[in-house]
Amino acid sequence: MITIGYLLIAVLAGACLVFAARAYLNEPNKMLLLILCPTSLLWFDSFAIAVGQYVGEGSLLLGSSYIRYLAHWLMLPLLFIVAGMILRGAEFKFASSKYVMGAFCLLAVFFIIEDARHIFIVDFYPACYGETLRYVTKVPIGQACTPELEGVGIRVPPWAPIILTMTLLVIGIAIWVKHKWPWLVVGCVIMLVAAQPTPIGPILSNAGEPFFTFALTLAAIKFRPRPKEDKPYQ
């Protein structure tokens, strides 16, 4: 049942990718392009966990784990830039300043460097829950494939997704008040609830990501730059 759950999440993530790609092709803008970066491999995260038991331990599953983690560490912080662009598109005047946008860009660069460096520091270990098999940087208690692996490894704190979600939640609340548009708040709340630690692995967190991505894509479409707004930051 857990495997089926991950496969369904992969399908939802794939649907988000198609939706964002079609929106970009219909009316290209930089926000959608940036959203497509992490969304392009969002489906792969859940798919790799779903098929892990069939692939088995070894270089193939380990290689897919490097792809999963690197995609997350390198591309998720790009959404900080999207957050600033949504603020600007929603006509918050302070966000038109090049210094405000520069701050969002610096935040993205900081977390890319901070998170991606872990690929040279951490090791990956197999973790089992139910019928699933995946590689993790630290084996959660109760998910060790063998007793000696219980709790082994280094946990990488998820500061980037936490701060990103909270930032977008605050932006979403401001947009809700100003534009009566609640959907970014809804997506962020779903993500925050789903991301709470559980003993059943990351399935709930993974399930929240398509809803979060869909809401963010809707915001990028609604608050995309209009032709008359295509001017340098002041």
Side-chain angles (χ1 to χ4, degrees):
M1 286 299 294
I2 295 178
T3 296
I4 294 174
Y6 277 112
L7 287 174
L8 290 175
I9 295 168
V11 170
L12 286 176
C16 285
L17 174 59
V18 172
F19 178 71
R22 291 185 64 179
Y24 177 77
L25 292 173
N26 288 337
E27 191 170 349
N29 71 65
K30 294 176 182 178
M31 283 190 286
L32 288 172
L33 183 60
L34 288 171
I35 289 171
L36 279 170
C37 291
T39 307
S40 63
L41 286 175
L42 186 62
W43 65 273
F44 184 73
D45 190 28
S46 293
F47 179 77
I49 297 176
V51 302
Q53 62 172 324
Y54 305 108
V55 175
E57 292 184 34
S59 58
L60 183 58
L61 187 60
L62 181 59
S64 72
S65 299
Y66 274 96
I67 294 173
R68 288 171 51 223
Y69 278 83
L70 268 178
H72 183 81
W73 289 335
L74 290 174
M75 293 192 286
L76 182 69
L78 295 175
L79 299 183
F80 281 105
I81 302 174
V82 174
M85 296 175 77
I86 289 173
L87 263 180
R88 183 174 187 247
E91 300 178 346
F92 290 93
K93 290 185 179 180
F94 74 92
S96 66
S97 166
K98 62 183 179 181
Y99 299 108
V100 173
M101 289 304 304
F104 280 103
C105 292
L106 285 174
L107 200 56
V109 172
F110 169 79
F111 278 114
I112 288 173
I113 296 172
E114 168 63 21
D115 286 351
R117 70 183 179 86
H118 288 99
I119 204 68
F120 305 106
I121 299 172
V122 300
D123 291 313
F124 289 91
Y125 305 92
C128 301
Y129 182 81
E131 71 272 24
T132 64
L133 170 64
R134 69 190 193 281
Y135 277 92
V136 296
T137 62
K138 182 174 182 178
V139 181
I141 301 299
Q143 297 183 34
C145 298
T146 56
E148 64 271 14
L149 290 178
E150 193 86 23
V152 168
I154 301 172
R155 181 176 180 269
V156 179
W159 291 119
I162 291 172
I163 295 174
L164 173 66
T165 306
M166 294 302 299
T167 300
L168 284 167
L169 178 61
V170 172
I171 292 172
I173 292 171
I175 288 174
W176 192 354
V177 171
K178 182 172 183 176
H179 296 280
K180 311 304 180 185
W181 196 81
W183 301 113
L184 185 56
V185 171
V186 171
C188 291
V189 169
I190 290 174
M191 187 69 253
L192 287 172
V193 172
Q196 298 306 306
T198 69
I200 60 174
I203 187 167
L204 294 182
S205 178
N206 283 35
E209 289 173 348
F211 295 97
F212 172 78
T213 301
F214 181 65
L216 188 60
T217 304
L218 288 178
I221 294 170
K222 182 170 180 62
F223 301 107
R224 65 189 181 277
R226 301 300 192 270
K228 65 179 180 180
E229 297 172 347
D230 290 338
K231 56 187 177 181
Y233 296 125
Q234 298 176 350

